[in-house]
Amino acid sequence: MNDMIQPDSKATSTAHASSSDYAALYAVSLSDPDGFWSRQAERLDWTQVPGTIANWSYDPVAIKWFEDGVLNICHNAVDRHVAAGRGDVTALIFEPDDPGAAGRTLTYGELQAEVIRMAGALKKLGAGKGDRVTIYMPMIVEGAVAMLACARIGAIHSVVFGGFSPEALAGRIEDCESKFVVCADGGLRGGKGVPLKANVDAALAKDGADVDAVLVVNHTDSDIAMTEGRDHWYHEVAADVPSDCPCEPMGAEDPLFILYTSGSTGKPKGVLHTTGGYAVWVATTFHYVFDYKPGEVFWCSADIGWVTGHSYIVYGPLINGATEVMFEGVPNYPDHGRFWQVVAKHKVNIFYTAPTAIRALMREGDEPVKAHDRSSLRLLGTVGEPINPEAWRWYYDVVGDAQSPIIDTWWQTETGGIMITTLPGAHGMKPGSAGKPFFGIQPQLVDNDGAVLDGATDGNLCITASWPGQARSVYGDHERFIQTYFSTYKGKYFTGDGCRRDSDGYYWITGRVDDVINVSGHRMGTAEVESALVSHPKVAEAAVVGYPHDIKGQGIYCYVTLNAGEEADDAFTAELKNHVRTEIGPIATPDHLHFTPALPKTRSGKIMRRILRKIAENDFATLGDTSTLADPNVVDTLVQGRMNR
Ligand code: 6R9
């Protein structure tokens, strides 16, 4: 497993960074961060070039980068390419869900016109600098356009994944007091409609979620309800907006977006990113990691509802002037060759996806891959969870014909962009390892008491120094930001991940060490699923853990205690699973419900999750010390229940 694979790709000889470049640049990024990052900031147009570069502290927590700089990220992603004579370069290639339906291609010039229209429409409805705008869209051009339009006028976007339920959407609208929603009438995924506008209506019917205006893009010609005075068709509002809408000058530390993500406790957090540092980070990481060259076609198969879509569909590629595919559909519709058909159709050179998709496709065998021409591919990326070496090998050997390096990229919503990865021209690859730290990143492994561990070792992954793309706060709750990330190990950013470092200095992420599970590359707080379960009137108590799942990486295993007198039969099991779907969304659907008369608790009433995890994993031999349990018999009952499955 530790074998190093050297990339012998057709493309690596021309990579932006060779092995010696990496060593030199990495060294400078640590010895002279101000010099290094002021040079990287030259990738952008600034209306005022920053004089102050890094200004941060982890104790107390205050993070600023480029603080006196002024810029607009939409200008950098769109307008400046047009101004520089690159207006005819293709920016977006939209590939619809149905391979037979008409796609759409936009040049940078056309993208600029679209963004100006959307920005004008938002302004007409009253949105302006600092306002929060919730975006609830399918994977269509207007999703990216809405984000860029917000950035253009200085509004803070909060994109909510189109798979989230009305309940989850309402919570996210309420939390940031968003007064505007941009949605589509409906979306399409795998041939099925997604009732986005109806979900918005249901969300807004709840107490607390109260908006001034909903802007509706007609995507599927669906029959939807429009509330007079509140809901507006985008094409109607945009019919008479000014033909220009200047980019708002933004301070580097002005907020750019909020993105909700799950943590180990409580409700999802609104992770806040600001403008300048984020822009520099995604511009720099996209350039080096994906090694993009003009004329190439890049495709990131994520959704704009996740951070991967923000950084590597919208901002990173567009700031770099790239041509990219935006795909509305799913990997298995109309058949399991869909990804590779899209690769062949649009001659994709660089492809970025998640291990869960790779595993699901691997299961279908090599034929659907071989049926399509993949000779355009030269780089394959992965993100979202650890990739198991078998899936890595299949991706490398079958999808890439052993010619395209695999770029395994470790990062988080909070990090803004890629943090640990191999660079295509600089590093050998080890299947299952994310690789080496990106420029400016100083990983550190610590034990549970915070003692620093050196050399080849296992530990909790911290980062000791700030980088430009780091999140600045949790929206509306800076204290929670400090508590969540900087209090476990004082003076360090704690990632929540466990990690091994080998003797070559390669990092191997072993998964979350907190109560967060990673289901198909999506972060899920066990507390969120628990609170959805106990919101059912028949449920007394619930404890949720992750357990190994062949396709999803981790599945959702729920221990549930019902109120006295209630019985769990098949119908109820289905009902409760459905209840969680309605509360959170399909991605949170429990994989297994384990009904139990009681949960294992300590005398002080704490649920012993360690034991629950082991039982869910069918690992009964090492349950550890159960003597501190209030009632040790509970464990026997649970083990019996698991074995009888
Ligand atoms: C970008 C993104 C972050 C969590 C992170 C870790 C896991 C992401 C990974 C990976 C191993 C990789 N993770 N990439 N684990 N190898 N290449 O996924 O952000 O949704 O916030 O999730 O995902 O556990 O802490 P986010």
Side-chain angles (χ1 to χ4, degrees):
M1 202 156 106
N2 250 349
D3 290 349
M4 185 93 83
I5 297 171
Q6 294 301 337
D8 55 351
S9 133
K10 31 188 168 174
T12 48
S13 58
T14 58
H16 289 319
S18 66
S19 170
S20 55
D21 294 339
Y22 169 81
L25 286 168
Y26 183 69
V28 173
S29 73
L30 301 200
S31 63
D32 178 20
D34 280 8
F36 182 83
W37 290 112
S38 67
R39 284 190 292 281
Q40 299 305 322
E42 289 169 11
R43 298 179 183 283
L44 303 176
D45 273 6
W46 300 78
T47 23
Q48 186 179 309
V49 174
T52 305
I53 307 302
N55 179 12
W56 60 269
S57 152
Y58 280 174
D59 185 20
V61 180
I63 304 162
K64 288 181 183 170
W65 284 87
F66 313 109
E67 59 192 277
D68 56 348
V70 177
L71 77 167
N72 184 288
I73 197 170
C74 176
H75 166 82
N76 277 284
V78 183
D79 301 69
R80 65 163 173 159
H81 303 308
V82 181
R86 295 194 297 273
D88 291 336
V89 171
T90 300
L92 296 177
I93 302 167
F94 170 68
E95 175 65 33
D97 181 55
D98 174 357
R104 190 177 167 196
T105 296
L106 275 86
T107 64
Y108 274 90
E110 289 161 342
L111 178 62
Q112 182 185 38
E114 283 287 343
V115 172
I116 287 174
R117 255 156 53 86
M118 181 74 81
L122 285 169
K123 267 192 167 171
K124 203 159 135 189
L125 296 177
K129 186 169 178 178
D131 290 336
R132 277 77 62 215
V133 176
T134 299
I135 298 175
Y136 187 63
M137 290 285 254
M139 276 293 293
I140 58 175
V141 167
E142 288 81 358
V145 166
M147 292 165 71
L148 293 162
C150 285
R152 189 175 193 90
I153 65 171
I156 306 168
H157 58 70
S158 163
V159 184
V160 177
F161 173 57
F164 276 122
S165 69
E167 189 75 36
L169 174 62
R172 286 156 172 79
I173 291 173
E174 199 177 331
D175 182 80
C176 68
E177 296 170 45
S178 169
K179 292 289 168 215
F180 304 91
V181 174
V182 183
C183 69
D185 54 343
L188 284 169
R189 276 174 67 80
K192 294 197 198 85
V194 185
L196 295 166
K197 174 60 167 63
N199 287 351
V200 170
D201 292 341
L204 296 181
K206 295 183 195 296
D207 286 345
D210 180 22
V211 304
D212 293 343
V214 180
L215 192 59
V216 188
V217 173
N218 182 13
H219 175 51
T220 55
D221 283 325
S222 330
D223 192 12
I224 55 164
M226 295 290 277
T227 300
E228 184 75 39
R230 185 196 70 184
D231 301 348
H232 310 266
W233 283 109
Y234 171 54
H235 56 268
E236 288 176 10
V237 182
D240 66 319
V241 292
S243 58
D244 195 17
C245 173
C247 292
E248 189 73 28
M250 302 295 285
E253 284 300 336
D254 282 339
L256 173 64
F257 68 84
I258 300 165
L259 185 55
Y260 286 87
T261 190
S262 297
S264 48
T265 53
K267 288 190 303 178
K269 298 180 284 282
V271 171
L272 181 78
H273 281 282
T274 57
T275 308
Y278 175 82
V280 172
W281 190 247
V282 296
T284 310
T285 51
F286 181 82
H287 173 82
Y288 283 108
V289 179
F290 296 109
D291 196 35
Y292 183 83
K293 314 272 172 29
E296 288 190 315
V297 177
F298 174 78
W299 177 21
C300 164
S301 77
D303 190 285
I304 53 163
W306 310 114
V307 74
T308 306
H310 283 58
S311 301
Y312 300 111
I313 295 177
V314 180
Y315 293 113
L318 296 178
I319 289 174
N320 279 279
T323 298
E324 62 173 330
V325 173
M326 199 172 166
F327 177 47
E328 185 183 17
V330 295
N332 58 358
Y333 174 83
D335 59 49
H336 292 96
R338 179 66 161 135
F339 268 5
W340 324 119
Q341 181 251 328
V342 174
V343 165
K345 180 172 174 190
H346 299 298
K347 304 208 168 26
V348 171
N349 305 108
I350 305 162
F351 179 59
Y352 191 33
T353 195
T356 185
I358 298 164
R359 286 192 299 266
L361 294 176
M362 182 170 84
R363 198 171 62 162
E364 304 299 325
D366 301 357
E367 279 323 302
V369 185
K370 301 229 157 104
H372 301 280
D373 176 16
R374 288 153 288 106
S375 57
S376 58
L377 287 174
R378 73 160 183 92
L379 208 68
L380 298 170
T382 140
V383 60
E385 55 178 314
I387 181 164
N388 47 312
E390 300 70 37
W392 194 103
R393 289 264 26 149
W394 187 80
Y395 197 27
Y396 185 73
D397 291 332
V398 179
V399 175
D401 286 324
Q403 297 197 42
S404 300
I406 305 280
I407 305 299
D408 182 351
T409 63
W410 173 86
W411 58 294
Q412 308 178 296
T413 304
E414 297 85 345
T415 71
I418 294 163
M419 300 283 280
I420 297 180
T421 184
T422 50
L423 294 184
H427 302 119
M429 302 162 280
K430 299 188 185 195
S433 166
K436 304 276 248 182
F438 190 73
F439 305 134
I441 298 307
Q442 302 185 52
Q444 190 177 68
L445 302 182
V446 301
D447 70 13
N448 289 341
D449 300 321
V452 176
L453 305 166
D454 292 320
T457 185
D458 252 307
N460 301 311
L461 178 61
C462 295
I463 313 288
T464 59
S466 184
W467 62 98
Q470 180 164 32
R472 304 298 196 254
S473 194
V474 166
Y475 189 81
D477 196 350
H478 193 62
E479 191 49 38
R480 191 168 174 206
F481 181 67
I482 297 168
Q483 280 307 319
T484 309
Y485 305 108
F486 302 93
S487 68
T488 318
Y489 306 109
K490 233 181 171 25
K492 293 168 195 177
Y493 168 75
F494 177 43
T495 64
D497 280 334
C499 184
R500 178 165 72 83
R501 180 175 48 222
D502 69 18
S503 51
D504 294 321
Y506 275 55
Y507 288 84
W508 302 70
I509 308 294
T510 49
R512 303 288 303 196
V513 294
D514 53 11
D515 287 323
V516 171
I517 51 182
N518 192 324
V519 183
S520 301
H522 302 317
R523 265 163 79 170
M524 194 91 51
T526 51
E528 265 175 273
V529 183
E530 286 162 10
S531 92
L533 287 164
V534 297
S535 73
H536 190 287
K538 291 187 182 171
V539 174
E541 201 170 28
V544 172
V545 297
Y547 75 125
H549 187 287
D550 284 350
I551 303 294
K552 299 180 183 181
Q554 278 190 300
I556 305 178
Y557 193 105
C558 309
Y559 295 90
V560 178
T561 305
L562 297 182
N563 289 327
E566 302 293 353
E567 282 292 323
D569 53 15
D570 286 353
F572 182 71
T573 302
E575 178 187 324
L576 191 54
K577 283 188 179 179
N578 203 34
H579 176 74
V580 176
R581 282 173 74 96
T582 320
E583 287 290 305
I584 306 177
I587 53 171
T589 309
D591 293 285
H592 184 60
L593 295 178
H594 183 151
F595 293 98
T596 169
L599 292 169
K601 290 186 186 165
T602 62
R603 274 166 248 250
S604 62
K606 275 213 168 75
I607 295 173
M608 299 272 282
R609 289 169 183 282
R610 178 178 51 82
I611 293 178
L612 292 177
R613 265 183 229 121
K614 297 240 174 196
I615 294 173
E617 285 165 13
N618 278 317
D619 175 7
F620 311 129
T622 56
L623 289 179
D625 183 11
T626 55
S627 61
T628 55
L629 285 172
D631 176 8
N633 292 328
V634 170
V635 173
D636 296 336
T637 315
L638 284 169
V639 170
Q640 278 308 322
R642 182 70 174 129
M643 295 204 302
N644 292 342
R645 248 194 88 202

